[in-house]
Amino acid sequence: MDHQQGDHGQGQHQLPGCYRHKERETGISCTRCERPICPECMISASVGYQCPECVREGSGTGHSPAANQPRTVAGGLLVSDTRLVVKILLAINVTVFVAVLAVGDDLVSRLAMIAYAIDPGTFSMVGVADGQWYRLVTSAFLHQEFWHIGFNMMALWFLGPPLEQALGRVRFITLYLLSALGGNVLTYWLMAQNVLSLGASGAIFGLFGATAVLMRRMRSDMRPIAVLLGINLVITFLPGLNIAWQAHLGGLIVGAVVAYALVHAPRQSRTAVQYGTCLAVLALLLVACVVRTSILLG
């Protein structure tokens, strides 16, 4: 947790000076350009504070319309509805859940995550290793119990909007899907190959990791998210609950890594760093899947 040192008599504890008023020490930085700004130069933005120059650039003074649109800390476009993607994801999950209630276990067996096993109904091999790669994604939108979808959707509703606002819609959905995939890839590696796994928990834990990274970036109080994440991790590893801890851990790691790249990418090469990191994470996950498949088939 960041805090300001009260002793300014020693150089190593001295705070930087405002970029416009060098004599004024400050611990606050502009969320866009990261230059230190004093209270006089702070302009409240959707997330944190911005300096006068960044606000002026976002207002349309002397630049093309495309470049003048206000941007978030991650470079995404500011939007009025910060729950649009969250609502779409929630609707997909609820729709699939209703379909499961209507159709039954057959839909679950077709869409859930499973590595490689014999289908007791047809006595044929099924699973990701058998070429059903779609299970790595479809299982992340699949729930069977009311408590399971209720917990995950509640977490999505509360964790999603701040991230969608701070990252922008495209970056947010990328983070969500990569976290879901990361959770299922680790499940593919570490869970018994004939055990079904389903649920959005991998993606949700990715949002937990991303929230922690964003709060650290904004110099916010880390205690609330640390306590919440700690409680959920303890529950994850409690014996007897049959929770796929592999999905939780994989989603958490991928979410934190992707979020770090999104909010810490240097402004001059922001897009290249962000796209490059997301593509590198995706490539690593796909390679891991290929290797695991070769092991199971071998």
Side-chain angles (χ1 to χ4, degrees):
M1 184 177 145
D2 290 332
H3 63 279
Q4 298 181 8
Q5 297 287 345
D7 181 11
H8 300 299
Q10 297 182 14
Q12 62 268 31
H13 298 301
Q14 197 169 18
L15 293 171
C18 172
Y19 84 99
R20 299 177 73 213
H21 308 93
K22 298 296 185 183
E23 72 282 359
R24 301 178 186 175
E25 295 181 351
T26 179
I28 304 298
S29 301
C30 171
T31 58
R32 293 184 64 187
C33 67
E34 300 186 355
R35 290 180 293 190
I37 47 178
C38 66
E40 181 181 334
C41 298
M42 294 177 193
I43 300 176
S44 182
S46 59
V47 181
Y49 298 94
Q50 293 185 6
C51 68
E53 290 185 18
C54 288
V55 172
R56 194 178 305 119
E57 289 179 9
S59 67
T61 306
H63 297 274
S64 65
N68 290 329
Q69 298 182 40
R71 297 279 175 171
T72 68
V73 63
L77 293 176
L78 291 175
V79 293
S80 56
D81 184 0
T82 60
R83 275 192 165 97
L84 178 61
V85 175
V86 170
K87 292 174 183 176
I88 293 173
L89 290 171
L90 194 148
I92 295 173
N93 279 275
V94 171
T95 300
V96 175
F97 179 66
V98 172
V100 168
L101 294 180
V103 176
D105 293 340
D106 182 61
L107 186 61
V108 173
S109 63
R110 290 176 181 273
L111 300 181
M113 174 63 202
I114 190 168
Y116 197 46
I118 297 177
D119 184 344
T122 62
F123 296 102
S124 60
M125 300 304 296
V126 297
V128 176
D130 192 52
Q132 298 172 343
W133 288 64
Y134 58 86
R135 291 177 181 270
L136 292 165
V137 177
T138 56
S139 60
F141 295 91
L142 193 65
H143 300 84
Q144 277 184 297
E145 295 87 6
F146 281 98
W147 69 265
H148 194 193
I149 189 172
F151 175 83
N152 282 340
M153 294 305 99
M154 181 177 65
L156 173 62
W157 186 255
F158 286 105
L159 293 173
L163 289 169
E164 184 173 344
Q165 181 183 40
L167 303 179
R169 289 170 178 166
V170 174
R171 291 167 177 81
F172 174 69
I173 190 62
T174 301
L175 168 76
Y176 186 92
L177 294 177
L178 283 176
S179 298
L181 182 61
N184 280 332
V185 169
L186 195 61
T187 298
Y188 189 32
W189 267 90
L190 301 181
M191 184 175 281
Q193 68 183 59
N194 61 342
V195 175
L196 283 174
S197 173
L198 64 157
S201 301
I204 297 303
F205 267 77
L207 300 188
F208 273 119
T211 299
V213 170
L214 178 63
M215 292 182 70
R216 176 73 177 179
R217 169 69 173 78
M218 303 307 302
R219 296 188 173 91
S220 301
D221 186 357
M222 294 289 294
R223 286 174 293 186
I225 188 62
V227 170
L228 187 59
L229 179 57
I231 292 173
N232 279 276
L233 284 174
V234 169
I235 295 174
T236 295
F237 291 99
L238 284 178
L241 295 183
N242 294 324
I243 294 177
W245 61 266
Q246 300 90 340
H248 292 193
L249 187 60
L252 178 65
I253 294 172
V254 171
V257 170
V258 172
Y260 189 90
L262 293 178
V263 301
H264 286 281
R267 192 178 179 191
Q268 296 78 7
S269 56
R270 175 186 287 160
T271 302
V273 171
Q274 292 175 340
Y275 286 176
T277 300
C278 291
L279 289 174
V281 170
L282 177 60
L284 181 62
L285 294 175
L286 293 179
V287 169
C289 286
V290 172
V291 173
R292 177 58 174 166
T293 298
S294 67
I295 293 174
L296 291 176
L297 296 180

